[in-house]
Amino acid sequence: MAESAVLSDVGYYFYGVVPAGTDVAGLRGLDDVEVESVEHDGLAAVVSALTLARPPGRSQELVAHARVVDALAQVTEIVPAQFGSALDHDVTEVAGFLDDEGDRFRAVLERLWGKVQLNLRATYESDQVLTELVQQDPGVAELRRRTRDLPAGVPHPDLVRLGEAVSRALTRKRTEDAETLLDIVLPRVSDHVVRQGGEYDVLDAALLVERPALPELEHELEGLAEVVHERMKVRLVGPIAAYDFMEGMTWG
Amino acid sequence: MTVQTSRRSGGGYLERPAPSGLADVVETILDKGIVIDAYVRVSLVGIELLTVDARIVIASVDTYLRFAEATNRLDLYEKGGKDLTEAIGDLQESGAAKKVGGAVKGVKKAITGSSGDDEDDEDERPRRRSSSSSRRRETSRG
């Protein structure tokens, strides 16, 4: 086997690992370059040739990465790589990488077998939830009464107190409502990770779901979204690759 | 086997966006996935991307003032707003109850924290009007 010189200005952008035999034909990644798979011992590294002399990662590259990884997640299990990794443009090295880490890859693929991730986010209609807080929390109601005629934007201590009271009451309400949502959802998922949400988010969760359970989960969430729609909007994204279930793995 | 199509067109409250917008992608994948630094030749992560994720919530005076302003802007007499129990009651009345999954029927109990309510009968139920906190709950049976 001839030793080929590794071009120093081209690398292999790395998207993740899938089972060998996965069809990657027609997938295009960063710079619209065709995706390839490098196979070794039942595993396949998903890569594409990448010119290395370039400015730091930009949004179109992030989108391309997600597009490739999520397209594969629709049809097979994938261990998704973090954005931005380029290996040497050397098939032997890539195969060596699969060899070194093969057992770990196989263990993760097995754990993910038949499952996909979905992201669930429920967000309060802010006016509605703030109205509830005023109606249900006497402290908030009183501070609101006291501060109604103060000029906005000026940090009067009572305004700050009102904001703090709202924040505390909102946290209590969010905790309760999030629990209710999780009670509905958790019986239908294999695993979940609760993520940090925005100010008016009720819940932001990554769900790991068995594929056959997905239609029923969607059905429950559609019913839920209708029932709660005056208080919150419910958003479900996916199936996507199991990004949140890699347990913070650092390899190599 | 249930047919899903009619459900999609009736109501459609669940947002199901394709995960392709930049904001979605950033939320979904930035800093997620396996890290293989020991094998990596070049890293593409740059500063431009790190500033896109703007959903970090910092408790601060600014946050509190924003909450205060939003609360003071409310027009309470305009905003009726059903609480969750009323919304479920209406849904049941309208005959839409059948499309609500089994788990959601239990939502009412959880939200109100009431243990006395018996929602398990699927037959005709008398009209229930569950109150907001300022009015007494009325329970009518039979």
Side-chain angles (χ1 to χ4, degrees):
Chain A
M1 189 181 309
E3 205 177 57
S4 46
V6 174
L7 291 173
S8 59
D9 60 347
V10 179
Y12 261 145
Y13 185 81
F14 174 63
Y15 301 88
V17 172
V18 294
T22 301
D23 184 10
V24 301
L27 276 180
R28 292 184 168 273
L30 273 67
D31 298 343
D32 213 34
V33 171
E34 258 189 58
V35 164
E36 306 166 43
S37 83
V38 175
E39 302 203 343
H40 176 79
D41 200 9
L43 299 168
V46 183
V47 296
S48 65
L50 184 81
T51 315
L52 297 177
R54 63 201 298 128
R58 289 166 303 172
S59 39
Q60 70 220 55
E61 285 147 0
L62 196 66
V63 171
H65 174 114
R67 190 178 61 229
V68 170
V69 171
D70 290 335
L72 289 167
Q74 308 307 312
V75 297
T76 189
E77 291 71 37
I78 176 167
V79 183
Q82 201 166 111
F83 172 77
S85 310
L87 305 165
D88 275 338
H89 194 274
D90 182 343
V91 170
T92 315
E93 260 198 45
V94 177
F97 162 51
L98 289 178
D99 198 53
D100 285 349
E101 305 291 351
D103 288 342
R104 291 183 75 174
F105 282 130
R106 271 180 282 273
V108 176
L109 287 173
E110 189 163 349
R111 181 161 55 81
L112 295 179
W113 193 85
K115 302 182 183 119
V116 288
Q117 173 168 330
L118 290 110
N119 289 344
L120 175 66
R121 190 152 125 229
T123 309
Y124 285 120
E125 297 291 348
S126 59
D127 279 3
Q128 173 61 24
V129 74
L130 291 176
T131 300
E132 286 173 17
L133 294 184
V134 173
Q135 288 172 344
Q136 294 164 7
D137 188 315
V140 169
E142 169 59 23
L143 281 163
R144 179 174 181 270
R145 197 194 55 77
R146 236 193 282 167
T147 59
R148 280 225 79 172
D149 299 320
L150 291 176
V154 177
H156 187 286
D158 274 350
L159 275 177
V160 178
R161 279 188 202 106
L162 170 59
E164 281 180 310
V166 167
S167 178
R168 271 197 307 272
L170 186 56
T171 299
R172 277 196 302 272
K173 186 176 280 280
R174 172 193 300 127
T175 302
E176 211 175 271
D177 283 342
E179 222 177 272
T180 304
L181 295 183
L182 287 175
D183 282 348
I184 292 172
V185 162
L186 291 192
R188 288 176 168 70
V189 310
S190 306
D191 201 355
H192 79 290
V193 172
V194 173
R195 295 142 37 120
Q196 173 68 49
E199 279 176 352
Y200 290 104
D201 280 345
V202 183
L203 178 69
D204 187 339
L207 311 173
L208 193 63
V209 181
E210 309 235 359
R211 287 180 200 270
L214 185 50
E216 186 55 34
L217 177 66
E218 276 182 299
H219 171 41
E220 288 290 345
L221 289 172
E222 280 165 9
L224 174 77
E226 172 147 13
V227 163
V228 303
H229 78 269
E230 292 190 19
R231 292 182 79 221
M232 45 177 104
K233 61 178 194 276
V234 182
R235 198 159 177 268
L236 185 68
V237 172
I240 57 177
Y243 301 99
D244 285 81
F245 298 96
M246 294 298 105
E247 292 163 357
M249 282 191 272
T250 301
W251 299 24
Chain B
M1 177 163 0
T2 42
V3 174
Q4 301 279 329
T5 47
S6 58
R7 224 182 311 280
R8 285 255 167 216
S9 51
Y13 286 103
L14 181 66
E15 292 180 16
R16 271 321 243 117
S20 55
L22 178 62
D24 282 323
V25 168
V26 167
E27 263 182 53
T28 305
I29 87 173
L30 207 57
D31 293 336
K32 304 264 178 58
I34 63 168
V35 175
I36 56 161
D37 284 348
Y39 298 95
V40 163
R41 169 92 181 284
V42 172
S43 172
L44 298 190
V45 178
I47 296 169
E48 182 189 310
L49 284 173
L50 297 177
T51 58
V52 178
D53 188 4
R55 284 208 312 136
I56 302 168
V57 176
I58 302 165
S60 67
V61 171
D62 282 341
T63 308
Y64 296 143
L65 287 176
R66 263 204 317 278
F67 276 136
E69 196 197 342
T71 306
N72 276 330
R73 262 189 292 125
L74 296 172
D75 186 345
L76 291 187
Y77 302 100
E78 208 101 310
K79 263 297 177 204
K82 293 181 188 154
D83 67 19
L84 191 58
T85 53
E86 280 186 57
I88 295 179
D90 288 356
L91 196 63
Q92 289 162 346
E93 277 175 37
S94 73
K98 294 223 165 43
K99 72 170 151 167
V100 169
V104 178
K105 290 193 175 87
V107 164
K108 177 175 176 173
K109 266 185 210 165
I111 286 279
T112 62
S114 63
S115 49
D117 282 359
D118 240 318
E119 288 291 310
D120 299 324
D121 294 338
E122 295 309 285
D123 305 330
E124 280 168 37
R125 217 171 292 128
R127 181 188 169 107
R128 296 185 143 246
R129 177 67 68 200
S130 290
S131 56
S132 60
S133 54
S134 56
R135 284 168 27 224
R136 266 194 47 198
R137 167 185 296 283
E138 290 175 84
T139 308
S140 55
R141 289 187 181 264

